[in-house]
Structure formats: C-alpha cells, structure tokens
Amino acid sequence: LTKAVYNSLRLLLTPWDTIVKFFFAEKDLLKLEDLQRYAVFFRDFDFIVKSLVAAYAQKGAEEIARAPFLEKLDKAAGLYAERTGESLDAYREARFLALTGQSLSSWMMAATPVPRQGINTLPGVQAPVPVAVTPPAAEPPVAETTPSPVPARQADKFQAAKGNPAAPTVAKAPAIAPGALLTLESIPLHKQFQYIQKVFGGDAQRMKDTLIALNQLETSQEIADYLRTRIFNMPDNTHDAKINQEFLEFAQQRLVS
C-alpha cells in the first residue's frame, strides 16, 4: 500500500519522467506488447497512456524508441488540452487534492525546489520566473585576527556537525525522541520524498530496510559508518553532502541522551 501511494504521488509530481522510467527503465527500446500489457496499471494519466497504445497499434510498430515516445507524450497532452479545454496542470491539481487533501501547487512550493524547464514541465507551461531578492546591506569588513579554519576533508562531510564546525550547513533534520525507533512515520511526508529520491535513489523499500538496520546499531559512529559505506557511496545516491548529513543527523538522534 505504501509503495502504491508513493507511486501515485510520484506520477502526479513528475508525470513524464515517471511514465518513461516505468516503461523503459534502463532500456532504449520498448515492445508494443509490453506497452499494451502494462498500460492497464495507470489510473492517473490513463487517457494519455491509452492514446499512445492506440497510436502505436494503428501504426503497426513492434518496438518503440525512448525519444519519440517522449515526443508523443507531449503531443497527446496537447490534444487532451485542445479536446477538453482543461490543462494537465488543472488535472494534476484536482487528482492531488483528491488523494492528499492538499493543494499541489502550495505543497510543491513548500517542499521542493522550483522545477526546471524540462522533462517534467507540461506542454504550454512556462517555468516560473525567478523572484529578485534584495541583498542585505553590506556590513563593514572585520579584520581577521585568527587563521582561517582548515577546509573539511571529504570524509568529514558525513561526521556529526556538532564535532565538525567545517561541515556544510544543512537544513534541520526531523526531530525524534532519544531512544525512539527510526520509522517512516517519524519523518514528515515531504522529507520522506526528499530522502527517498536523493539518499536512496527512489527506492522506498531500501530506505525502510535501512531504518530497521540502523535501529540495531548502538553508537553514533556505527550509524555514521553504516551510512557512509552502504548508502552514501551508492551510485544512485545523489551525493548531495547536505541532504546526506541531514539524514545522518536524523538517524543519530535516537542515541542522543
């Protein structure tokens, strides 16, 4: 059930990327019979997927390439907007509200960075214009009386910030009570998505299994070593030092007295 809810939310948040990854995974060619077989799993955006199935079947194609498939996604979306008079953004808003009780636009503004123009930008939607920020007034320079600190080593980025002042500044980790078990439920929803995508490469089950493993460890150093050698160095980890440090601090809280 958790995986199903996650997949539904991911489809509404990043529709084209999710659809392409679902059908192609690591492949460059998709068989028409596979497209037909798995199209039934889509409830959201089913009208887009079904129109693609019909178009390729009518064309008599046996194999489908990734790039033309993405182009046809855009065309199908445009046809939907012309036929119904409703943009896909409005469709996503309605589906997300029905699923979560929250507004998609306000949730994305609060929980995620501004989306870049690209694969997940729906046709006809312009990327948000950056808002100019007025810089704070410059303060008079203060003469340095002490030597500059030595830059942190790469390995130090994953040590607790308390013992390593040179570690990068990170957002505050979700709070849990000392001694409490690490669970998905102890992490706010928007942080769950962030950790799953950036720390665990989109694999929610691996994150859940990791939390179970971390609950068996007895020291903060064991937790740091486990994450550094089994999670942070994985190819699908984004190697974002700030988010990895934040997740480390979250995990170590259960051992803080």
Side-chain angles (χ1 to χ4, degrees), residues 192-251:
Q192 286 185 35
F193 283 119
Q194 196 174 31
Y195 293 156
I196 289 170
Q197 291 296 325
K198 294 189 175 184
V199 180
F200 295 93
D203 191 337
Q205 185 58 49
R206 186 152 68 91
M207 176 175 168
K208 186 176 181 180
D209 293 341
T210 298
L211 292 177
I212 294 174
L214 293 176
N215 285 326
Q216 310 304 314
L217 303 181
E218 298 180 353
T219 68
S220 294
Q221 188 59 48
E222 286 180 346
I223 291 176
D225 291 342
Y226 184 98
L227 292 175
R228 186 172 58 249
T229 59
R230 303 193 187 194
I231 304 299
F232 297 156
N233 64 343
M234 293 296 288
D236 57 2
N237 181 278
T238 61
H239 305 291
D240 182 332
K242 291 184 178 181
I243 196 66
N244 285 341
Q245 176 71 25
E246 181 185 327
F247 185 78
L248 169 61
E249 292 181 0
F250 161 71

Short mmCIF file of all heavy atoms in Angstrom, two decimals, residues 192-251:
data_model
loop_
_atom_site.label_atom_id
_atom_site.label_comp_id
_atom_site.label_asym_id
_atom_site.label_seq_id
_atom_site.Cartn_x
_atom_site.Cartn_y
_atom_site.Cartn_z
N GLN A 192 10.24 12.58 3.63
CA GLN A 192 10.31 11.20 3.13
C GLN A 192 10.65 11.20 1.64
O GLN A 192 11.54 10.47 1.19
CB GLN A 192 8.98 10.48 3.35
CG GLN A 192 8.68 10.09 4.77
CD GLN A 192 7.41 9.27 4.88
OE1 GLN A 192 7.10 8.48 3.99
NE2 GLN A 192 6.67 9.46 5.95
N PHE A 193 9.92 12.02 0.85
CA PHE A 193 10.17 12.08 -0.59
C PHE A 193 11.59 12.53 -0.87
O PHE A 193 12.26 12.00 -1.75
CB PHE A 193 9.17 13.02 -1.27
CG PHE A 193 7.81 12.43 -1.45
CD1 PHE A 193 6.70 12.98 -0.87
CD2 PHE A 193 7.65 11.28 -2.22
CE1 PHE A 193 5.46 12.42 -1.03
CE2 PHE A 193 6.41 10.72 -2.39
CZ PHE A 193 5.30 11.28 -1.80
N GLN A 194 12.05 13.52 -0.11
CA GLN A 194 13.39 14.06 -0.34
C GLN A 194 14.45 13.00 -0.05
O GLN A 194 15.39 12.82 -0.84
CB GLN A 194 13.60 15.28 0.55
CG GLN A 194 14.79 16.14 0.15
CD GLN A 194 14.86 17.42 0.97
OE1 GLN A 194 14.45 17.45 2.12
NE2 GLN A 194 15.39 18.47 0.37
N TYR A 195 14.33 12.30 1.07
CA TYR A 195 15.31 11.27 1.41
C TYR A 195 15.24 10.10 0.43
O TYR A 195 16.27 9.57 0.00
CB TYR A 195 15.04 10.76 2.84
CG TYR A 195 15.31 11.77 3.93
CD1 TYR A 195 14.68 11.67 5.17
CD2 TYR A 195 16.18 12.84 3.73
CE1 TYR A 195 14.91 12.60 6.17
CE2 TYR A 195 16.42 13.77 4.73
CZ TYR A 195 15.78 13.66 5.95
OH TYR A 195 16.00 14.56 6.94
N ILE A 196 14.03 9.67 0.10
CA ILE A 196 13.89 8.53 -0.82
C ILE A 196 14.54 8.84 -2.16
O ILE A 196 15.28 8.02 -2.71
CB ILE A 196 12.40 8.17 -1.01
CG1 ILE A 196 11.83 7.52 0.27
CG2 ILE A 196 12.22 7.18 -2.18
CD1 ILE A 196 10.33 7.37 0.26
N GLN A 197 14.30 10.04 -2.69
CA GLN A 197 14.82 10.40 -4.00
C GLN A 197 16.32 10.65 -3.98
O GLN A 197 17.05 10.16 -4.84
CB GLN A 197 14.10 11.64 -4.54
CG GLN A 197 12.64 11.41 -4.89
CD GLN A 197 12.47 10.42 -6.02
OE1 GLN A 197 13.27 10.35 -6.94
NE2 GLN A 197 11.43 9.62 -5.95
N LYS A 198 16.81 11.41 -3.00
CA LYS A 198 18.19 11.86 -3.03
C LYS A 198 19.17 10.92 -2.32
O LYS A 198 20.31 10.77 -2.73
CB LYS A 198 18.30 13.27 -2.42
CG LYS A 198 17.60 14.33 -3.24
CD LYS A 198 17.92 15.71 -2.72
CE LYS A 198 17.32 16.78 -3.62
NZ LYS A 198 17.69 18.15 -3.20
N VAL A 199 18.70 10.29 -1.24
CA VAL A 199 19.60 9.41 -0.48
C VAL A 199 19.51 7.96 -0.96
O VAL A 199 20.52 7.27 -1.07
CB VAL A 199 19.28 9.49 1.03
CG1 VAL A 199 20.20 8.58 1.83
CG2 VAL A 199 19.40 10.93 1.52
N PHE A 200 18.28 7.53 -1.33
CA PHE A 200 18.08 6.12 -1.66
C PHE A 200 17.71 5.87 -3.12
O PHE A 200 17.22 4.80 -3.47
CB PHE A 200 17.01 5.52 -0.73
CG PHE A 200 17.42 5.49 0.71
CD1 PHE A 200 17.09 6.54 1.56
CD2 PHE A 200 18.18 4.46 1.22
CE1 PHE A 200 17.49 6.54 2.88
CE2 PHE A 200 18.59 4.44 2.55
CZ PHE A 200 18.24 5.49 3.38
N GLY A 201 17.93 6.86 -3.97
CA GLY A 201 17.73 6.66 -5.40
C GLY A 201 16.32 6.28 -5.80
O GLY A 201 16.11 5.56 -6.78
N GLY A 202 15.32 6.76 -5.03
CA GLY A 202 13.93 6.48 -5.37
C GLY A 202 13.40 5.16 -4.84
O GLY A 202 12.27 4.79 -5.14
N ASP A 203 14.18 4.43 -4.05
CA ASP A 203 13.79 3.11 -3.56
C ASP A 203 13.27 3.23 -2.12
O ASP A 203 14.05 3.24 -1.16
CB ASP A 203 14.98 2.15 -3.62
CG ASP A 203 14.58 0.71 -3.38
OD1 ASP A 203 13.53 0.47 -2.75
OD2 ASP A 203 15.31 -0.20 -3.82
N ALA A 204 11.96 3.31 -1.96
CA ALA A 204 11.36 3.48 -0.63
C ALA A 204 11.59 2.25 0.25
O ALA A 204 11.79 2.37 1.46
CB ALA A 204 9.86 3.76 -0.76
N GLN A 205 11.57 1.06 -0.35
CA GLN A 205 11.76 -0.16 0.45
C GLN A 205 13.18 -0.22 1.02
O GLN A 205 13.38 -0.65 2.15
CB GLN A 205 11.49 -1.40 -0.41
CG GLN A 205 11.54 -2.71 0.37
CD GLN A 205 10.54 -2.75 1.52
OE1 GLN A 205 9.38 -2.43 1.36
NE2 GLN A 205 11.01 -3.12 2.71
N ARG A 206 14.17 0.23 0.23
CA ARG A 206 15.55 0.21 0.74
C ARG A 206 15.70 1.19 1.90
O ARG A 206 16.43 0.92 2.85
CB ARG A 206 16.53 0.55 -0.38
CG ARG A 206 18.00 0.43 0.04
CD ARG A 206 18.89 0.08 -1.16
NE ARG A 206 18.94 1.18 -2.09
CZ ARG A 206 19.87 2.16 -2.04
NH1 ARG A 206 20.80 2.12 -1.11
NH2 ARG A 206 19.87 3.12 -2.92
N MET A 207 15.01 2.32 1.83
CA MET A 207 15.05 3.26 2.95
C MET A 207 14.43 2.62 4.19
O MET A 207 14.98 2.74 5.30
CB MET A 207 14.31 4.55 2.58
CG MET A 207 14.23 5.55 3.73
SD MET A 207 13.48 7.13 3.21
CE MET A 207 13.19 7.89 4.81
N LYS A 208 13.32 1.93 4.01
CA LYS A 208 12.65 1.28 5.16
C LYS A 208 13.55 0.21 5.76
O LYS A 208 13.69 0.11 6.98
CB LYS A 208 11.33 0.68 4.69
CG LYS A 208 10.49 0.10 5.82
CD LYS A 208 9.14 -0.38 5.29
CE LYS A 208 8.28 -0.92 6.42
NZ LYS A 208 6.96 -1.40 5.91
N ASP A 209 14.20 -0.60 4.91
CA ASP A 209 15.10 -1.64 5.40
C ASP A 209 16.30 -1.03 6.12
O ASP A 209 16.79 -1.58 7.12
CB ASP A 209 15.59 -2.51 4.23
CG ASP A 209 14.47 -3.32 3.60
OD1 ASP A 209 13.43 -3.51 4.26
OD2 ASP A 209 14.63 -3.77 2.45
N THR A 210 16.78 0.12 5.61
CA THR A 210 17.92 0.78 6.24
C THR A 210 17.56 1.29 7.63
O THR A 210 18.35 1.17 8.58
CB THR A 210 18.40 1.96 5.37
OG1 THR A 210 18.84 1.45 4.10
CG2 THR A 210 19.56 2.69 6.03
N LEU A 211 16.36 1.85 7.78
CA LEU A 211 15.93 2.32 9.10
C LEU A 211 15.87 1.16 10.10
O LEU A 211 16.27 1.31 11.26
CB LEU A 211 14.55 2.99 8.99
CG LEU A 211 14.49 4.31 8.21
CD1 LEU A 211 13.06 4.81 8.12
CD2 LEU A 211 15.39 5.37 8.84
N ILE A 212 15.42 0.01 9.64
CA ILE A 212 15.37 -1.18 10.51
C ILE A 212 16.78 -1.57 10.94
O ILE A 212 17.04 -1.88 12.12
CB ILE A 212 14.67 -2.34 9.79
CG1 ILE A 212 13.19 -2.01 9.56
CG2 ILE A 212 14.81 -3.64 10.59
CD1 ILE A 212 12.45 -3.03 8.73
N ALA A 213 17.73 -1.53 9.98
CA ALA A 213 19.12 -1.88 10.29
C ALA A 213 19.74 -0.88 11.26
O ALA A 213 20.47 -1.25 12.19
CB ALA A 213 19.94 -1.97 9.00
N LEU A 214 19.46 0.41 11.06
CA LEU A 214 20.02 1.45 11.93
C LEU A 214 19.51 1.32 13.36
O LEU A 214 20.22 1.69 14.31
CB LEU A 214 19.69 2.83 11.37
CG LEU A 214 20.35 3.20 10.03
CD1 LEU A 214 19.85 4.56 9.56
CD2 LEU A 214 21.87 3.20 10.13
N ASN A 215 18.30 0.82 13.52
CA ASN A 215 17.74 0.63 14.87
C ASN A 215 18.51 -0.41 15.67
O ASN A 215 18.38 -0.47 16.90
CB ASN A 215 16.26 0.24 14.78
CG ASN A 215 15.37 1.41 14.42
OD1 ASN A 215 15.63 2.54 14.81
ND2 ASN A 215 14.30 1.16 13.67
N GLN A 216 19.30 -1.27 14.98
CA GLN A 216 20.05 -2.32 15.67
C GLN A 216 21.43 -1.83 16.13
O GLN A 216 22.11 -2.53 16.88
CB GLN A 216 20.23 -3.52 14.74
CG GLN A 216 18.95 -4.02 14.07
CD GLN A 216 17.87 -4.37 15.08
OE1 GLN A 216 18.13 -5.04 16.08
NE2 GLN A 216 16.65 -3.92 14.81
N LEU A 217 21.86 -0.67 15.64
CA LEU A 217 23.20 -0.17 15.97
C LEU A 217 23.19 0.57 17.31
O LEU A 217 22.17 1.14 17.71
CB LEU A 217 23.69 0.77 14.86
CG LEU A 217 23.71 0.13 13.45
CD1 LEU A 217 24.22 1.11 12.41
CD2 LEU A 217 24.55 -1.15 13.44
N GLU A 218 24.35 0.58 17.98
CA GLU A 218 24.38 1.04 19.36
C GLU A 218 25.14 2.34 19.57
O GLU A 218 25.08 2.92 20.67
CB GLU A 218 25.00 -0.05 20.26
CG GLU A 218 24.17 -1.34 20.26
CD GLU A 218 24.78 -2.40 21.15
OE1 GLU A 218 25.90 -2.19 21.66
OE2 GLU A 218 24.13 -3.46 21.35
N THR A 219 25.89 2.83 18.57
CA THR A 219 26.62 4.08 18.74
C THR A 219 26.42 4.97 17.51
O THR A 219 26.12 4.50 16.42
CB THR A 219 28.13 3.84 18.93
OG1 THR A 219 28.69 3.34 17.70
CG2 THR A 219 28.40 2.84 20.05
N SER A 220 26.64 6.27 17.73
CA SER A 220 26.52 7.23 16.63
C SER A 220 27.56 6.96 15.55
O SER A 220 27.31 7.14 14.35
CB SER A 220 26.67 8.66 17.15
OG SER A 220 25.60 9.00 17.99
N GLN A 221 28.74 6.51 15.97
CA GLN A 221 29.80 6.23 14.99
C GLN A 221 29.42 5.03 14.13
O GLN A 221 29.70 5.02 12.92
CB GLN A 221 31.13 5.97 15.71
CG GLN A 221 32.32 5.85 14.76
CD GLN A 221 32.51 7.11 13.92
OE1 GLN A 221 32.51 8.21 14.45
NE2 GLN A 221 32.66 6.95 12.61
N GLU A 222 28.79 4.03 14.72
CA GLU A 222 28.36 2.86 13.93
C GLU A 222 27.33 3.29 12.88
O GLU A 222 27.36 2.80 11.74
CB GLU A 222 27.75 1.80 14.86
CG GLU A 222 28.77 1.06 15.69
CD GLU A 222 28.12 0.03 16.60
OE1 GLU A 222 26.87 0.08 16.76
OE2 GLU A 222 28.83 -0.84 17.14
N ILE A 223 26.43 4.19 13.27
CA ILE A 223 25.44 4.68 12.31
C ILE A 223 26.12 5.44 11.18
O ILE A 223 25.81 5.25 10.00
CB ILE A 223 24.41 5.59 13.03
CG1 ILE A 223 23.54 4.74 13.97
CG2 ILE A 223 23.55 6.34 12.03
CD1 ILE A 223 22.56 5.56 14.79
N ALA A 224 27.09 6.31 11.53
CA ALA A 224 27.81 7.09 10.51
C ALA A 224 28.56 6.16 9.56
O ALA A 224 28.53 6.35 8.34
CB ALA A 224 28.77 8.08 11.17
N ASP A 225 29.23 5.15 10.11
CA ASP A 225 29.99 4.21 9.28
C ASP A 225 29.07 3.41 8.37
O ASP A 225 29.38 3.18 7.20
CB ASP A 225 30.81 3.26 10.16
CG ASP A 225 31.95 3.99 10.89
OD1 ASP A 225 32.31 5.11 10.45
OD2 ASP A 225 32.45 3.45 11.89
N TYR A 226 27.94 2.98 8.91
CA TYR A 226 26.99 2.19 8.12
C TYR A 226 26.48 3.00 6.93
O TYR A 226 26.48 2.51 5.78
CB TYR A 226 25.83 1.76 9.01
CG TYR A 226 24.82 0.86 8.31
CD1 TYR A 226 24.88 -0.52 8.48
CD2 TYR A 226 23.81 1.38 7.50
CE1 TYR A 226 23.97 -1.35 7.84
CE2 TYR A 226 22.91 0.56 6.86
CZ TYR A 226 22.99 -0.80 7.04
OH TYR A 226 22.08 -1.62 6.39
N LEU A 227 26.05 4.23 7.19
CA LEU A 227 25.51 5.05 6.11
C LEU A 227 26.59 5.42 5.10
O LEU A 227 26.35 5.42 3.88
CB LEU A 227 24.86 6.31 6.68
CG LEU A 227 23.59 6.08 7.49
CD1 LEU A 227 23.10 7.39 8.12
CD2 LEU A 227 22.49 5.49 6.63
N ARG A 228 27.79 5.75 5.58
CA ARG A 228 28.85 6.17 4.68
C ARG A 228 29.29 5.04 3.74
O ARG A 228 29.60 5.27 2.58
CB ARG A 228 30.05 6.69 5.48
CG ARG A 228 31.16 7.29 4.62
CD ARG A 228 32.24 7.96 5.45
NE ARG A 228 32.84 7.05 6.42
CZ ARG A 228 32.68 7.13 7.73
NH1 ARG A 228 31.92 8.08 8.23
NH2 ARG A 228 33.26 6.28 8.54
N THR A 229 29.32 3.81 4.26
CA THR A 229 29.85 2.68 3.46
C THR A 229 28.78 1.92 2.70
O THR A 229 29.10 1.23 1.73
CB THR A 229 30.59 1.70 4.38
OG1 THR A 229 29.70 1.21 5.40
CG2 THR A 229 31.79 2.36 5.05
N ARG A 230 27.50 2.05 3.08
CA ARG A 230 26.45 1.25 2.43
C ARG A 230 25.39 2.08 1.71
O ARG A 230 24.65 1.53 0.89
CB ARG A 230 25.76 0.35 3.46
CG ARG A 230 26.71 -0.57 4.19
CD ARG A 230 25.96 -1.63 4.94
NE ARG A 230 26.83 -2.42 5.77
CZ ARG A 230 26.49 -3.59 6.33
NH1 ARG A 230 25.27 -4.07 6.12
NH2 ARG A 230 27.33 -4.26 7.09
N ILE A 231 25.30 3.36 2.03
CA ILE A 231 24.24 4.18 1.44
C ILE A 231 24.81 5.38 0.68
O ILE A 231 24.55 5.57 -0.51
CB ILE A 231 23.25 4.67 2.51
CG1 ILE A 231 22.66 3.48 3.29
CG2 ILE A 231 22.14 5.51 1.87
CD1 ILE A 231 21.88 2.50 2.43
N PHE A 232 25.61 6.21 1.36
CA PHE A 232 26.07 7.45 0.75
C PHE A 232 27.01 7.23 -0.43
O PHE A 232 27.17 8.11 -1.27
CB PHE A 232 26.78 8.33 1.80
CG PHE A 232 25.89 8.78 2.93
CD1 PHE A 232 26.42 9.12 4.17
CD2 PHE A 232 24.50 8.85 2.78
CE1 PHE A 232 25.61 9.54 5.21
CE2 PHE A 232 23.68 9.27 3.82
CZ PHE A 232 24.25 9.61 5.04
N ASN A 233 27.66 6.06 -0.49
CA ASN A 233 28.59 5.81 -1.59
C ASN A 233 27.97 5.03 -2.75
O ASN A 233 28.67 4.67 -3.69
CB ASN A 233 29.82 5.04 -1.07
CG ASN A 233 29.44 3.65 -0.55
OD1 ASN A 233 28.28 3.37 -0.29
ND2 ASN A 233 30.44 2.79 -0.40
N MET A 234 26.66 4.79 -2.70
CA MET A 234 25.99 4.05 -3.76
C MET A 234 25.83 4.93 -5.01
O MET A 234 25.66 6.15 -4.90
CB MET A 234 24.62 3.57 -3.29
CG MET A 234 24.69 2.53 -2.18
SD MET A 234 25.50 1.00 -2.72
CE MET A 234 24.22 0.34 -3.78
N PRO A 235 25.87 4.34 -6.21
CA PRO A 235 25.76 5.13 -7.44
C PRO A 235 24.45 5.91 -7.55
O PRO A 235 24.43 6.99 -8.13
CB PRO A 235 25.86 4.07 -8.55
CG PRO A 235 26.58 2.92 -7.92
CD PRO A 235 26.15 2.92 -6.49
N ASP A 236 23.34 5.36 -7.00
CA ASP A 236 22.06 6.06 -7.14
C ASP A 236 21.86 7.15 -6.09
O ASP A 236 20.88 7.87 -6.12
CB ASP A 236 20.88 5.08 -7.11
CG ASP A 236 20.85 4.23 -5.84
OD1 ASP A 236 21.73 4.42 -4.97
OD2 ASP A 236 19.97 3.36 -5.72
N ASN A 237 22.79 7.26 -5.13
CA ASN A 237 22.75 8.38 -4.20
C ASN A 237 23.20 9.64 -4.93
O ASN A 237 24.14 9.59 -5.72
CB ASN A 237 23.68 8.10 -3.01
CG ASN A 237 23.67 9.21 -1.97
OD1 ASN A 237 24.35 10.22 -2.12
ND2 ASN A 237 22.91 9.02 -0.91
N THR A 238 22.53 10.76 -4.72
CA THR A 238 22.86 11.98 -5.46
C THR A 238 24.16 12.62 -4.98
O THR A 238 24.64 13.57 -5.58
CB THR A 238 21.73 13.02 -5.33
OG1 THR A 238 21.56 13.37 -3.95
CG2 THR A 238 20.44 12.48 -5.91
N HIS A 239 24.73 12.07 -3.89
CA HIS A 239 25.99 12.59 -3.33
C HIS A 239 25.88 14.07 -2.96
O HIS A 239 26.82 14.83 -3.07
CB HIS A 239 27.15 12.35 -4.31
CG HIS A 239 27.29 10.92 -4.72
ND1 HIS A 239 27.70 9.93 -3.84
CD2 HIS A 239 27.03 10.29 -5.90
CE1 HIS A 239 27.70 8.76 -4.46
NE2 HIS A 239 27.30 8.96 -5.71
N ASP A 240 24.68 14.43 -2.53
CA ASP A 240 24.43 15.77 -2.02
C ASP A 240 24.83 15.76 -0.55
O ASP A 240 24.14 15.19 0.30
CB ASP A 240 22.94 16.11 -2.19
CG ASP A 240 22.59 17.51 -1.71
OD1 ASP A 240 23.28 18.03 -0.82
OD2 ASP A 240 21.62 18.08 -2.23
N ALA A 241 25.98 16.39 -0.23
CA ALA A 241 26.52 16.31 1.13
C ALA A 241 25.54 16.85 2.17
O ALA A 241 25.46 16.34 3.28
CB ALA A 241 27.85 17.06 1.21
N LYS A 242 24.77 17.89 1.80
CA LYS A 242 23.86 18.50 2.77
C LYS A 242 22.73 17.56 3.15
O LYS A 242 22.42 17.39 4.33
CB LYS A 242 23.31 19.80 2.21
CG LYS A 242 24.35 20.91 2.08
CD LYS A 242 23.72 22.21 1.60
CE LYS A 242 24.76 23.31 1.53
NZ LYS A 242 24.17 24.60 1.08
N ILE A 243 22.12 16.93 2.14
CA ILE A 243 20.98 16.06 2.45
C ILE A 243 21.45 14.77 3.12
O ILE A 243 20.78 14.22 4.00
CB ILE A 243 20.16 15.76 1.17
CG1 ILE A 243 18.78 15.19 1.56
CG2 ILE A 243 20.88 14.82 0.24
CD1 ILE A 243 17.90 16.17 2.29
N ASN A 244 22.64 14.27 2.75
CA ASN A 244 23.18 13.09 3.42
C ASN A 244 23.49 13.41 4.88
O ASN A 244 23.21 12.60 5.77
CB ASN A 244 24.46 12.62 2.71
CG ASN A 244 24.17 11.90 1.40
OD1 ASN A 244 23.06 11.44 1.17
ND2 ASN A 244 25.16 11.80 0.54
N GLN A 245 24.08 14.59 5.13
CA GLN A 245 24.38 14.99 6.50
C GLN A 245 23.09 15.13 7.32
O GLN A 245 23.03 14.71 8.47
CB GLN A 245 25.13 16.33 6.49
CG GLN A 245 25.42 16.91 7.86
CD GLN A 245 26.48 16.15 8.62
OE1 GLN A 245 27.31 15.49 8.00
NE2 GLN A 245 26.45 16.21 9.93
N GLU A 246 22.06 15.69 6.69
CA GLU A 246 20.77 15.84 7.40
C GLU A 246 20.20 14.49 7.77
O GLU A 246 19.70 14.30 8.89
CB GLU A 246 19.80 16.61 6.51
CG GLU A 246 18.44 16.85 7.17
CD GLU A 246 17.45 17.51 6.23
OE1 GLU A 246 17.88 18.32 5.37
OE2 GLU A 246 16.25 17.20 6.35
N PHE A 247 20.25 13.52 6.83
CA PHE A 247 19.72 12.19 7.14
C PHE A 247 20.55 11.53 8.24
O PHE A 247 20.00 10.84 9.12
CB PHE A 247 19.72 11.32 5.88
CG PHE A 247 19.09 9.98 6.10
CD1 PHE A 247 17.71 9.84 6.11
CD2 PHE A 247 19.86 8.85 6.32
CE1 PHE A 247 17.11 8.60 6.35
CE2 PHE A 247 19.27 7.60 6.54
CZ PHE A 247 17.89 7.49 6.55
N LEU A 248 21.88 11.71 8.21
CA LEU A 248 22.74 11.16 9.26
C LEU A 248 22.35 11.72 10.62
O LEU A 248 22.22 10.97 11.60
CB LEU A 248 24.21 11.48 8.94
CG LEU A 248 25.21 11.20 10.06
CD1 LEU A 248 25.22 9.72 10.43
CD2 LEU A 248 26.61 11.65 9.65
N GLU A 249 22.14 13.04 10.69
CA GLU A 249 21.78 13.64 11.97
C GLU A 249 20.42 13.15 12.45
O GLU A 249 20.21 12.95 13.65
CB GLU A 249 21.78 15.17 11.83
CG GLU A 249 23.18 15.75 11.62
CD GLU A 249 23.17 17.26 11.50
OE1 GLU A 249 22.07 17.85 11.58
OE2 GLU A 249 24.25 17.85 11.33
N PHE A 250 19.50 12.94 11.52
CA PHE A 250 18.20 12.39 11.90
C PHE A 250 18.38 11.01 12.53
O PHE A 250 17.80 10.72 13.57
CB PHE A 250 17.30 12.29 10.67
CG PHE A 250 16.13 11.35 10.84
CD1 PHE A 250 15.08 11.67 11.67
CD2 PHE A 250 16.12 10.13 10.18
CE1 PHE A 250 14.00 10.79 11.84
CE2 PHE A 250 15.06 9.25 10.34
CZ PHE A 250 14.00 9.58 11.18
N ALA A 251 19.19 10.16 11.88
CA ALA A 251 19.37 8.78 12.36
C ALA A 251 20.07 8.75 13.72
O ALA A 251 19.78 7.88 14.56
CB ALA A 251 20.16 7.97 11.34
#
